Amino acid sequence: MQLRADGLDAHLAKTLAPVYAVHGDEPLLALDAADAVRSAARKRGFSEREVFEAGRGFDWSSLRGSLGSLSLFASKRIVELRLPNGKPGTQGGEALAEYCAQPAADTLLLVSLPRVDRATQNAAWFRGIVDSGVLVDIWPLERARLPAWIAERLGRQGQRASREVLEFLAARVEGNLLAAHQEVQKLALLAGPGELALAAVEDAVADVARYNPQDAAEALLGGDTGRYVRVIEGLRGEGEAPTFVLFVISNALFVLRSAHASGSLDAAFQQQRVYGRSLQAALRGALARYRPAAVEEAIAAAAAIDRAIKGIRLRDPWQEFIALGLKLAGGSKA
């Protein structure tokens, strides 16, 4: 079975297939579709999740073993397979075709891949997915539908906008839904719920302030998520190296970790060589604001950003910086 992305929600409301594949040209819509499948599966009791990324040298026997094994806790589970190049090769194709011929009742297989060529679509493993499950086709969003898409995203965060505002936003983000998503998230931080004024949106989207990486660390530690997002956006626009931004933010997080462990910020300042008064003040406030577990999660997110910068992880480092800030903001003690 093949579906367009806009028909997926209606399908999932009625049933859940044993196999799904999401492929197409628009990364954000592909992520949304995969999230929708996961959410529908969780509602139906699929509580476990295992993820495989089939890069170069991937051991396909590990996927075979997972798909052929029973859950340790006798619960339903989601097995995700990510194919960055869209081609599983001979061994992978055989494993997928074999599984799709007889999928397990307690397992949902979710395959994510870019849009593949006609020859790949005729391969046995690809046809097996279509025959036994659902293939979700992701196509770029047409320009005419972009204002409505933005309006729907704004509605999720309790905001609404006039046609004029929506057209302004669409003109600024046309051809890049990831940027559109980022701008909508930024408006959630910079403006309150309700009707968005055009002047406020113009100011938020056309911010040309200049910042340095320490400004980002101070805003992050101070819990000023709106300013943090503006600083990260400004640094990106100015061409700042994400490696240096990550160094400054990571160093601040390591100071927090050390202070939580020792109970002494002054000792952590000396150990990590933190001399700036404004950064020290931000760290003192952050020690009381953030739980140790939240700091550890932020450090793990920073490590993921490092992998993205190096190309090991297929993510935009700048968007991951923003995600780190949103995650840390959710870990405050207040």
Side-chain angles (χ1 to χ4, degrees), residues 29 41 63 82 86 120 140 153 161 167 212 226 235 268 297 314 330:
L29 296 182
L63 178 68
R82 297 170 182 171
T120 302
R153 294 272 166 157
E167 286 294 344
N212 62 61
L235 292 172
E297 289 182 2
L314 300 179

Side-chain angles (χ1 to χ4, degrees), residues 221 246-262 264-265 268-269 271-272 274 283 295-296 298-300 302-303:
L221 297 170
L246 180 62
F247 171 79
V248 174
I249 289 176
S250 297
N251 193 58
L253 293 172
F254 287 137
V255 172
L256 273 187
R257 172 199 267 173
S258 179
H260 275 303
S262 66
S264 172
L265 254 180
F269 287 163
Q271 181 182 4
Q272 299 292 337
V274 179
L283 282 162
V295 175
E296 290 298 329
I299 290 174

Side-chain angles (χ1 to χ4, degrees), residues 63-316:
L63 178 68
R64 285 180 180 270
S66 177
L67 293 173
S69 64
L70 296 175
S71 168
L72 293 176
F73 304 101
S75 60
K76 297 179 180 179
R77 63 204 174 110
I78 303 169
V79 175
E80 291 190 36
L81 173 64
R82 297 170 182 171
L83 290 171
N85 65 0
K87 297 183 183 296
T90 302
Q91 292 185 9
E94 290 176 353
L96 288 170
E98 179 182 315
Y99 179 77
C100 290
Q102 194 171 0
D106 65 346
T107 300
L108 183 145
L109 175 61
L110 174 59
V111 183
S112 298
L113 65 162
R115 182 164 300 283
V116 297
D117 55 32
R118 180 63 61 184
T120 302
Q121 292 184 37
N122 289 328
W125 66 271
F126 196 91
R127 296 307 311 169
I129 291 175
V130 176
D131 293 341
S132 65
V134 174
L135 176 69
V136 184
D137 284 316
I138 305 296
W139 296 93
L141 190 67
E142 298 89 348
R143 174 61 177 81
R145 295 175 53 208
L146 187 54
W149 183 88
I150 295 173
E152 191 272 334
R153 294 272 166 157
L154 289 172
R156 294 183 189 179
Q157 56 199 39
Q159 295 176 315
R160 58 187 182 277
S162 66
R163 184 70 184 181
E164 183 183 16
V165 172
L166 293 174
E167 286 294 344
F168 171 81
L169 285 168
R172 290 300 180 94
V173 300
E174 181 179 359
N176 190 343
L177 280 192
L178 287 173
H181 174 67
Q182 189 169 304
E183 292 300 327
V184 169
Q185 285 191 316
K186 184 165 66 173
L187 288 172
L189 299 171
L190 302 181
E195 186 79 17
L196 294 174
L198 178 59
V201 173
E202 287 176 334
D203 288 342
V205 174
D207 189 357
V208 293
R210 299 182 68 86
Y211 304 103
N212 62 61
Q214 183 166 310
D215 292 329
E218 291 175 4
L220 178 69
L221 297 170
D224 191 347
T225 311
R227 181 169 183 267
Y228 173 74
V229 172
R230 290 196 299 274
V231 173
I232 291 297
E233 287 289 342
L235 292 172
R236 180 179 193 171
E238 293 162 19
E240 182 65 75
T243 304
F244 185 47
V245 179
L246 180 62
F247 171 79
V248 174
I249 289 176
S250 297
N251 193 58
L253 293 172
F254 287 137
V255 172
L256 273 187
R257 172 199 267 173
S258 179
H260 275 303
S262 66
S264 172
L265 254 180
D266 291 330
F269 287 163
Q270 289 198 359
Q271 181 182 4
Q272 299 292 337
R273 299 181 181 179
V274 179
Y275 303 119
R277 290 184 179 180
S278 59
L279 185 56
Q280 287 186 359
L283 282 162
R284 292 188 189 281
L287 185 62
R289 180 175 295 110
Y290 298 117
R291 301 180 179 88
V295 175
E296 290 298 329
E297 289 182 2
I299 290 174
I305 294 173
D306 181 61
R307 295 194 294 274
I309 292 172
K310 294 174 180 175
I312 300 172
R313 187 169 183 264
L314 300 179
R315 292 288 188 276
D316 182 344

